[in-house]
Amino acid sequence: MILRHDNAEKSRRCRPWQRTMAGVALTGMLAGFCPASAGAELSSAQAEQSSLQVEKSSAQVEQSNLQAVAPFPAASGWAATANGAEANATLQPSTEEPSPEVEARIEHTIDLLRTEYPEFRSLYLQKKSRGDEIQMLENDRQVKRACWFVTFDERKPEEMRSDNRTESLHLQFDENGALQSYRWQNVNWAGDTMPDKATALHKGADFLQKLLGADFALYGPGKVNGTGSGCEVREGKVYTWVNRNVQFDRLVNGIPLVNGDDLWNVQVDGGGRVVGVSHFTNENTFDLTFDPARFPDPAKALSLEQAKKALMEQCRLAPAYVSREFLQDFPNGVQLVPGQGPPRLVYRPDRLFLFMDAITGKLLVEMAAMESGRPAHTVIHVTGEGKALFAKNTDEGRKVIEKELGVDLSGMPLFPVGSEPVNQGIGPYIRRMEWDTSMPHGDAPANTQPTPGGLRNAAIQTASDTGRVLGFSVKRNGHNASKEEASKHTPVISRDEAKKKAVAFLQQYLPARDLEVKVIQVWQGTPRYPDWVDVTKLPKNIVMSSSEAFRFIPLHQGIPVEGYNWSVSVDRETGKVSAFHYEPVDFDALPDPSRIISPETAEAAFMNNLDLKLVYTWSQYFDQRAPQPSLMYQYDFLHPGLIDAQTGSVISMESGE
């Protein structure tokens, strides 16, 4: 029985600074600078899991972190494709054998595994089948691709499969024998040791070079920030695997193309073993040609010093309080409850951005710039009521959701979200309990004919040590975005009324003291489309949500307190709260802001450590693509990270030090 595999849970447990940057990703998607998924669920309720987070599928997390979730579920065990299209792998019994050329390519990969890992020699071939991978694209388009599926495990051919055993190794190849994905869950490799980034990069590059040969030169290392985990029960024993993900982007003119049009993701475990590989391409949506002549000339880019100067002319450093957990990597993907250690007072950029035009020096700025002109935020004064809820098990969690949100979860099956962390002693972490009807699990099949507006998911998050409730949410089935369908679902409350309801709901749980809070309305009005988008060709089957999401940032002596998730979503069709998150802040533990360095001193330290990377982007919006790619400077928000407001030292957001 598989409890949870790979990064499915990771999509809900992004590091706090990743949650913040996810809002920038959505901004870029609206602006057309970042790739957008087909059939995306463009929902204000997406903020219920994070500050301004775009909900991502497990494959898309590792693809680019710039994707919204597609409404088509991927078949279990097969790789989902990039750029919003989901894959259903349909195996058709066939006695067809690959051609000698295809067989040679497949055997090249198998020989590599056999050479690299002696453990492979104890495995037996279980299946080599030709099947079809059907990709559901926008506008109900389908793309069918023939693939080869190969599986190995430790059973001898004459042995029967037991119910609690899964294949140890999966390989998927395209019809020409090129590897598309590989995953190996070896019980002897189970453990909770995460490799450091240098080891993961070295081992990943070495393996990929042996796999691709001369074609390895077409790719360059990208992000090494993602982590993954899997959990499985075999014969009553729980096995857990963890890995670090290394991304290799396609190079053009020696510069990485970061759209996810052509990239490899390599997963390395704590023993330095490559336990997974995925190749994502955008070939079913766009004609993939990487002619350097189509890309802007790098010689026209601003110099690094000119780019830094342009950046600092458009943003300033501002003070903020941050929790220690905001800065640190979660151990083995476990999200720690913020506020366990003393908060820090830092300087950080006052504008969120990912890219700057490398030729003009213009920033792609935060979401507020892309909206319809309404104020991005307001500041309110409230007095909290000090209410606290607790749920130490699923029964108590269900009752909390039903009472606080006024819903009935009867008949909704509990969804397994993984086991408890193997490595104890890490401190209080956020435990998640979830109920779901949209995905098959255990004896419960997926609801293939959901009722529009009906409940499809419910979740609650609690602190592992005390059971204190930190958030809960319900999700309803969306409605088709057609005008005819939309006309049937009229909001019963206005946006302003939704805001008042969100404030009143949060106020119950705030500490019993007077507070100053910044309120950000996450989704406001219709996004501005890039000028190259033909709005008449946008998908007609976008799943729309009726929720209005609000994010709350507490202020202490006028300085924002960040790294804590305070958010409320209100369903305007029902007039009820649909999601709530509140992580307590110890305001008395916040550092004294009276003795901090000047903004000028902080900016000098920031500039000295600023890292800008030259990249190409090729903007797309669903199935439409910009006429030409763009040359950008990408801001690496891990370096320099933040500046300690009291000492002026650089705080790396990779380690928190």
Side-chain angles (χ1 to χ4, degrees):
M1 177 182 66
I2 298 177
L3 298 181
R4 194 79 169 192
H5 177 67
D6 243 349
N7 298 307
E9 180 64 9
K10 226 42 96 255
S11 66
R12 299 183 176 92
R13 296 194 306 205
C14 295
R15 290 168 59 178
W17 52 260
Q18 289 174 323
R19 297 190 231 162
T20 302
M21 297 309 295
V24 188
L26 179 55
T27 305
M29 190 173 70
L30 300 180
F33 284 95
C34 305
S37 295
E41 186 175 343
L42 299 180
S43 165
S44 60
Q46 288 163 338
E48 68 192 47
Q49 292 297 342
S50 67
S51 305
L52 298 172
Q53 186 176 6
V54 181
E55 186 176 356
K56 298 173 285 292
S57 75
S58 60
Q60 292 163 332
V61 169
E62 301 310 325
Q63 175 204 343
S64 66
N65 284 327
L66 305 178
Q67 302 289 337
V69 72
F72 306 105
S76 176
W78 308 119
T81 58
N83 299 301
E86 295 287 343
N88 278 324
T90 305
L91 287 178
Q92 300 175 347
S94 174
T95 58
E96 181 180 357
E97 293 292 329
S99 68
E101 294 79 10
V102 171
E103 182 69 36
R105 294 190 187 100
I106 293 176
E107 284 302 316
H108 169 71
T109 300
I110 294 175
D111 286 343
L112 174 59
L113 294 172
R114 186 180 291 114
T115 301
E116 291 292 306
Y117 307 117
E119 296 90 339
F120 184 87
R121 299 167 191 168
S122 64
L123 301 181
Y124 297 89
L125 176 65
Q126 301 299 323
K127 179 170 54 181
K128 182 186 291 183
S129 303
R130 183 182 173 94
D132 291 326
E133 180 186 67
I134 301 175
Q135 293 177 281
M136 304 297 297
L137 303 180
E138 61 285 339
N139 292 326
D140 296 325
R141 290 191 295 125
Q142 293 185 7
V143 175
K144 181 185 292 187
R145 294 194 306 179
C147 299
W148 292 98
F149 302 95
V150 182
T151 58
F152 290 84
D153 66 29
E154 59 274 21
R155 292 177 302 118
K156 295 181 180 180
E158 64 273 12
E159 292 180 356
M160 297 293 292
R161 175 178 303 284
S162 60
D163 293 337
N164 60 359
R165 184 189 297 273
T166 63
E167 294 112 343
S168 296
L169 191 152
H170 301 267
L171 296 134
Q172 179 175 325
F173 302 86
D174 68 15
E175 61 181 339
N176 297 315
L179 181 67
Q180 292 180 320
S181 65
Y182 141 69
R183 176 172 62 86
W184 190 353
Q185 250 182 209
N186 187 324
V187 293
N188 297 317
W189 295 351
D192 62 345
T193 300
M194 186 72 69
D196 60 66
K197 294 186 178 182
T199 298
L201 179 58
H202 171 71
K203 294 293 186 179
D206 181 67
F207 184 92
L208 195 60
Q209 184 172 27
K210 293 174 180 176
L211 177 68
L212 300 181
D215 285 347
F216 178 71
L218 299 175
Y219 302 89
K223 296 190 296 290
V224 198
N225 300 320
T227 59
S229 64
C231 181
E232 185 174 322
V233 177
R234 293 191 183 186
E235 299 176 354
K237 183 177 180 181
V238 178
Y239 294 90
T240 300
W241 295 263
V242 298
N243 60 265
R244 191 175 294 278
N245 303 316
V246 185
Q247 181 172 305
F248 293 85
D249 298 303
R250 180 63 180 256
L251 299 178
V252 181
N253 294 320
I255 296 171
L257 175 63
V258 296
N259 283 81
D261 282 325
D262 183 5
L263 66 85
W264 288 87
N265 181 38
V266 183
Q267 302 168 1
V268 182
D269 72 3
R273 295 171 290 255
V274 173
V275 295
V277 173
S278 298
H279 185 206
F280 298 109
T281 62
N282 208 1
E283 60 188 13
N284 288 323
T285 307
F286 301 106
D287 178 21
L288 287 183
T289 55
F290 300 104
D291 181 3
R294 301 183 66 182
F295 290 74
D297 185 356
K300 296 181 180 179
L302 298 173
S303 68
L304 185 58
E305 290 305 313
Q306 289 173 324
K308 288 183 177 182
K309 181 179 178 181
L311 188 153
M312 295 310 296
E313 287 175 351
Q314 298 173 77
C315 72
R316 291 289 182 266
L317 294 191
Y321 294 102
V322 295
S323 69
R324 297 271 175 166
E325 294 77 13
F326 181 86
L327 304 171
Q328 296 171 346
D329 199 357
F330 298 144
N332 300 331
V334 177
Q335 184 175 345
L336 301 180
V337 176
Q340 302 306 305
R344 301 186 74 160
L345 183 55
V346 305
Y347 274 101
R348 50 94 174 109
D350 62 355
R351 303 176 81 180
L352 295 176
F353 57 92
L354 284 176
F355 298 106
M356 179 174 68
D357 190 301
I359 297 176
T360 67
K362 183 179 179 180
L363 287 179
L364 170 61
V365 295
E366 57 189 308
M367 181 177 293
M370 303 311 303
E371 308 215 345
S372 56
R374 297 180 61 184
H377 60 79
T378 57
V379 175
I380 62 173
H381 293 267
V382 296
T383 300
E385 300 175 12
K387 180 179 179 180
L389 301 174
F390 296 87
K392 293 190 175 182
N393 54 54
T394 55
D395 288 339
E396 294 179 2
R398 180 190 291 266
K399 291 177 182 178
V400 167
I401 296 175
E402 291 180 329
K403 180 180 179 181
E404 298 301 311
L405 297 184
V407 296
D408 183 3
L409 302 186
S410 330
M412 182 173 285
L414 183 69
F415 189 87
V417 295
S419 64
E420 296 297 301
V422 176
N423 183 15
Q424 301 299 326
I426 59 175
Y429 58 90
I430 297 178
R431 177 183 286 141
R432 181 180 177 86
M433 294 173 274
E434 183 175 354
W435 296 260
D436 194 282
T437 63
S438 62
M439 297 181 66
H441 42 276
D443 296 328
N447 184 1
T448 58
Q449 294 182 325
T451 302
L455 283 181
R456 65 179 173 89
N457 180 277
I460 187 169
Q461 296 82 40
T462 63
S464 63
D465 57 342
T466 64
R468 178 165 183 166
V469 173
L470 304 177
F472 42 80
S473 63
V474 293
K475 294 181 182 179
R476 299 182 181 275
N477 299 312
H479 305 289
N480 191 282
S482 67
K483 291 182 179 179
E484 294 78 10
E485 184 70 26
S487 64
K488 303 175 184 177
H489 307 282
T490 305
V492 298
I493 59 173
S494 67
R495 286 192 170 92
D496 289 338
E497 291 171 328
K499 179 180 177 180
K500 292 178 182 178
K501 181 176 286 288
V503 171
F505 194 89
L506 177 69
Q507 188 173 359
Q508 304 175 79
Y509 303 93
L510 297 180
R513 59 191 298 170
D514 294 333
L515 294 171
E516 186 179 32
V517 181
K518 180 189 292 186
V519 185
I520 300 175
Q521 192 164 347
V522 177
W523 191 260
Q524 305 177 53
T526 303
R528 297 178 184 175
Y529 298 106
D531 55 11
W532 46 265
V533 170
D534 185 345
V535 295
T536 66
K537 296 181 179 179
L538 291 177
K540 300 300 188 291
N541 60 342
I542 302 174
V543 179
M544 302 298 291
S545 169
S546 59
S547 290
E548 199 79 20
F550 302 89
R551 179 187 172 211
F552 301 85
I553 301 177
L555 302 176
H556 181 67
Q557 299 187 36
I559 299 175
V561 182
E562 300 177 345
Y564 300 83
N565 188 0
W566 292 17
S567 60
V568 179
S569 293
V570 179
D571 190 329
R572 292 180 60 206
E573 283 188 8
T574 64
K576 296 181 179 180
V577 170
S578 59
F580 157 79
H581 288 84
Y582 168 71
E583 295 166 349
V585 176
D586 184 355
F587 290 93
D588 296 328
L590 298 176
D592 183 0
S594 63
R595 301 179 62 181
I596 61 175
I597 61 175
S598 67
E600 293 76 17
T601 301
E603 288 177 9
F606 185 83
M607 282 283 288
N608 289 338
N609 293 274
L610 181 61
D611 185 16
L612 295 176
K613 181 181 180 182
L614 206 58
V615 300
Y616 284 118
T617 65
W618 202 331
S619 306
Q620 67 182 76
Y621 200 88
F622 294 96
D623 61 346
Q624 299 183 55
R625 167 156 278 185
Q628 297 295 330
S630 300
L631 183 63
M632 297 280 184
Y633 271 111
Q634 186 177 43
Y635 168 53
D636 187 348
F637 51 89
L638 298 180
H639 303 284
L642 309 175
I643 305 300
D644 190 302
Q646 296 176 310
T647 66
S649 60
V650 175
I651 303 172
S652 170
M653 294 185 74
E654 294 176 292
S655 64
E657 299 299 332

